[in-house]
Amino acid sequence: MLRYISLLSLIFLHLHLFAQTKNPDYRLNIRQAVTPVQIDGMDDEAAWQVSDSTSPFFMVLPMDTSLAEVKTMVKMTYDSHNLYLLAVCYNDR
């Protein structure tokens, strides 16, 4: 029984070796919304125009070292009550 517990502990302690690569230098600056944000799926508010975007993304499978095949852009902003996230997922067709 002790052998199984030791084996499981060893496996769980080394799971981080198979995790995605982290980039500690990457930062997304999230700015406070300069105008009210409408929840309508459009990015025509001034808050979205001045916010930074995340792009490009990397694939997770089979390896996390190659760029995603389809472009995706994500922006974030906030106000005193909410955190807003805008994701634009392009289609390659």
Side-chain angles (χ1 to χ4, degrees), residues 26 53-60 66-75 88:
Y26 181 77
S53 64
T54 62
S55 193
F57 284 92
F58 288 87
M59 292 177 35
V60 176
S66 58
L67 291 174
E69 295 175 2
V70 180
K71 180 180 175 186
T72 301
M73 180 197 55
V74 175
K75 293 184 175 189
V88 180

Side-chain angles (χ1 to χ4, degrees), residues 5-28:
I5 292 173
S6 299
L7 180 63
L8 284 175
S9 299
L10 184 64
I11 290 171
F12 286 123
L13 289 175
H14 289 90
L15 282 178
H16 72 278
L17 295 176
F18 301 105
Q20 293 181 15
T21 305
K22 295 180 182 178
N23 185 352
D25 297 329
Y26 181 77
R27 298 281 187 257
L28 175 63

Side-chain angles (χ1 to χ4, degrees), residues 22-80:
K22 295 180 182 178
N23 185 352
D25 297 329
Y26 181 77
R27 298 281 187 257
L28 175 63
N29 296 319
I30 303 174
R31 295 186 176 101
Q32 187 171 4
V34 294
T35 59
V37 176
Q38 293 282 2
I39 310 292
D40 58 4
M42 303 297 291
D43 65 347
D44 53 359
E45 290 98 359
W48 296 124
Q49 303 305 318
V50 297
S51 64
D52 293 343
S53 64
T54 62
S55 193
F57 284 92
F58 288 87
M59 292 177 35
V60 176
L61 295 173
M63 300 281 290
D64 62 353
T65 57
S66 58
L67 291 174
E69 295 175 2
V70 180
K71 180 180 175 186
T72 301
M73 180 197 55
V74 175
K75 293 184 175 189
M76 295 177 71
T77 189
Y78 68 95
D79 61 19
S80 60

